[in-house]
Amino acid sequence: MSDERGPDYREVNFDGLVGPTHNYAGLALGNVASMSHGGLVANPKEAALQGLAKMKALMEAGYLQGVLPPQQRPDLGALRALGFTGSDERVLARAAGEAPQLLRAVCSASSMWTANAATVTPSVDAPDGRLHLTPANLQSSFHRFLEPATTGRVLQAIFRDESRFAHHPALPATPAFSDEGAANHTRLAGDHGEPGVHLYVYGREAFGWGGESSPAPKRFPARQTREASEAVARQHGLADHQVVFAQQHPEAIDAGVFHNDVISVGNGPVLLYHEMAFLDEAGTLEALRERMHSPLIPVRVPVEAVSLEDAVGSYLFNSQLLSNPDGSMTLVVPGECQENESVWRTLQDHLLAGANPIGEVVVKDVKQSMRNGGGPACLRLRVVLGAEERAALAGRVLLDAALHDELTAWVERHYRDRLAPEELADPALARESLTALDELSRLLEIGSVYPFQREGA
């Protein structure tokens, strides 16, 4: 199958546009960057333009780049469901005075990190020959739990052809099925068109296995459950020989590795990972080798080279690992990697000089996102698509020069260059956001995906 269909299959990175209410509220427990920058003044315009600049650079380098829109924020419907009544102005004022943390949550621009939007299985792996998508329920934090309904509508608007794309409901929003999407999922294969092996990484087991509880983190919560990962694999029809379930190391979670993509990244046959990524490192690698059609290429970074603290501070592993036509790979890292001596030395002496396909390191500035705990890999949802599937995408979501310029002009028109948490109650911000999103949905040609467009709210 891979020889016949493989050349048509390419990976598209769907990056999330940063929303107009981008702010530093410090909402994410276990996300060290988010917690440490809470309360700072953010720059939504700069954040959105930094994201677009990264997208443009990758597009111009020959990679396929897609765009996903931000969520409707502030989510006044969520505040009304929690008992705040009256006009929009009254709802915002009451929330600011009575429950400021709730107001910060319903204004979060966290949907920019589309690695958490969904889990994707390409058609080359699915038994029915369709691409499968499951929105993540993100139930572990309130501000992200607000996202799946709109995410599902956006994905259905873009991946509209039911003969090619299968959409599944988000898992039940309970602790037992806590699902954080593709941030805890990696597909490994010789090339994008070859049948792949799906590595699902979880932090805890909700029901226990074999009558014994597995080790658990002591400081921060484990967000992904094994039960959730197994349920998504079942939804997508994956067989046992196509999947590996591995537990994230509890010590890594306690160090601030809230998602697996903060401690490992895979692409093609390459798995770039930190020594402390998996509780059972040897068992995880053995299981992958047994199932992969092509030889696994593990690239291990020992703790002696990069400490857990430096891995979290630099987001070395939250980088984009991308395939090039000549078989080499490019690693797109945040600027914080260049600023960390041990990380930068490891990149030069260990990765680039090692016996692996990584031949280039590209540095990108995404500081506005990084201060909230999201690097280059957080900002994208990876979707492997065949040529006919790419042609079947609805809307105007594949980036080209014209779309980039229009999105840049849209940001310049609608975004503020300063936003402090105390300004989130400003009714003008809510009106500005709705105006911007209404225009964006027309620009992207995705229809009425937002609650205010569908309900008149």
Side-chain angles (χ1 to χ4, degrees), residues 1 40 50 65 121 185 219 238 304 332 408 430-431 442:
M1 179 180 288
L40 295 183
Q50 285 176 350
Q65 182 67 58
T121 294
H185 167 261
R219 183 184 179 198
L238 296 177
E304 291 82 6
V332 181
T408 299
R431 292 192 293 270
R442 293 194 299 272

Side-chain angles (χ1 to χ4, degrees), residues 155-365:
L155 293 176
Q156 288 169 359
I158 296 170
F159 301 90
R160 192 176 300 171
D161 186 344
E162 294 182 359
S163 69
R164 300 182 185 277
F165 310 123
H167 296 269
H168 302 275
L171 301 180
T174 68
F177 292 100
S178 181
D179 178 27
E180 301 280 308
N184 292 312
H185 167 261
T186 300
R187 178 180 184 266
L188 297 163
D191 58 59
H192 293 313
E194 179 182 285
V197 173
H198 295 255
L199 173 61
Y200 294 88
V201 181
Y202 62 92
R204 61 185 174 89
E205 297 167 346
F207 302 133
W209 296 88
E212 296 182 5
S213 297
S214 57
K218 297 178 175 61
R219 183 184 179 198
F220 294 132
R223 299 189 187 183
Q224 184 84 19
T225 66
R226 177 174 178 139
E227 289 81 358
S229 296
E230 290 180 332
V232 171
R234 283 194 298 269
Q235 283 184 334
H236 295 194
L238 296 177
D240 289 346
H241 69 274
Q242 295 176 288
V243 298
V244 172
F245 300 99
Q247 184 173 353
Q248 192 172 349
H249 204 297
E251 292 182 28
I253 295 175
D254 280 338
V257 181
F258 54 99
H259 290 142
N260 178 63
D261 67 3
V262 180
I263 201 70
S264 76
V265 57
N267 178 60
V270 174
L271 179 63
L272 170 61
Y273 71 99
H274 190 274
E275 175 185 352
M276 296 293 289
F278 310 110
L279 182 62
D280 182 3
E281 177 188 355
T284 299
L285 297 181
E286 181 181 1
L288 290 171
R289 289 189 176 102
E290 289 175 352
R291 290 163 173 78
M292 287 180 63
H293 293 253
S294 297
L296 175 70
I297 304 175
V299 181
R300 180 183 194 259
V301 176
V303 70
E304 291 82 6
V306 176
S307 67
L308 276 175
E309 181 182 6
D310 284 342
V312 171
S314 67
Y315 268 36
L316 164 61
F317 299 93
N318 196 247
S319 301
Q320 291 181 250
L321 190 55
L322 303 169
S323 297
N324 300 317
D326 63 0
S328 68
M329 294 188 188
T330 295
L331 189 68
V332 181
V333 305
E336 285 75 3
C337 286
Q338 196 169 28
E339 296 164 7
N340 185 300
E341 182 180 351
S342 66
V343 169
W344 192 246
R345 184 172 59 248
T346 296
L347 281 168
Q348 303 302 314
D349 298 345
H350 182 61
L351 297 189
L352 292 179
N356 66 74
I358 303 172
E360 179 186 30
V361 171
V362 174
V363 179
K364 290 298 171 187
D365 179 9

Side-chain angles (χ1 to χ4, degrees), residues 25-37:
L27 297 170
L29 180 63
N31 181 330
V32 174
S34 173
M35 295 165 64
S36 63
H37 289 94

Side-chain angles (χ1 to χ4, degrees), residues 378-390:
C378 282
L379 288 163
R380 55 81 190 263
L381 178 68
R382 310 170 74 174
V383 185
V384 171
L385 295 164
E388 293 182 357
E389 293 167 337
R390 297 194 296 275

